[in-house]
Amino acid sequence: MGPSLTEILDAAAIGHFPPPDGATTVVPQVSGRDAGVIAFTAHSVVFTDEDPDWVRSTLAARHLVPDGTPVWSQQAVGNARSIRAFQAAGYRPIGAEALLLVPEAARAAR
């Protein structure tokens, strides 16, 4: 059995990050309330009580198509490491977006 989410986060807190190998590590949820994904540089940690084989098979159909078709990517503005990595790979920023939720009351008034 691999490391737990707590062990991964404790190691990251002292500068020992998962390897930047493009892999996905699947670990159990720490609590029944919280499941999710933590993304490190070129390594994702999925914490869920779902079957790890199901998680990996679901993530396997996702890949980039390098046939000249434009590929869109989105990075958080504050994630300088991610932005620099994408720019070094040849991506160039073309814009920004902000997603706003419309409250139910406003939607109903339309």
Side-chain angles (χ1 to χ4, degrees):
M1 175 154 244
S4 69
L5 179 61
T6 301
E7 292 167 329
I8 292 169
L9 294 177
D10 286 348
I14 59 171
H16 299 286
F17 300 98
D21 56 7
T24 300
T25 299
V26 182
V27 298
Q29 290 174 230
V30 176
S31 74
R33 186 190 71 169
D34 300 315
V37 178
I38 297 177
F40 293 94
T41 299
H43 195 107
S44 296
V45 177
V46 177
F47 54 103
T48 181
D49 286 338
E50 296 296 329
D51 176 22
D53 291 334
W54 175 83
V55 173
R56 286 189 179 86
S57 68
T58 300
L59 296 174
R62 318 283 195 272
H63 60 280
L64 300 178
V65 181
D67 64 358
T69 302
V71 176
W72 294 88
S73 172
Q74 183 176 31
Q75 294 90 31
V77 176
N79 190 341
R81 179 182 269 180
S82 176
I83 292 171
R84 283 193 304 266
F86 272 78
Q87 287 178 334
Y91 288 84
R92 59 188 172 95
I94 62 164
E97 72 175 335
L99 301 177
L100 306 173
L101 297 177
V102 178
E104 278 298 317
R107 205 179 333 226
R110 289 187 192 169

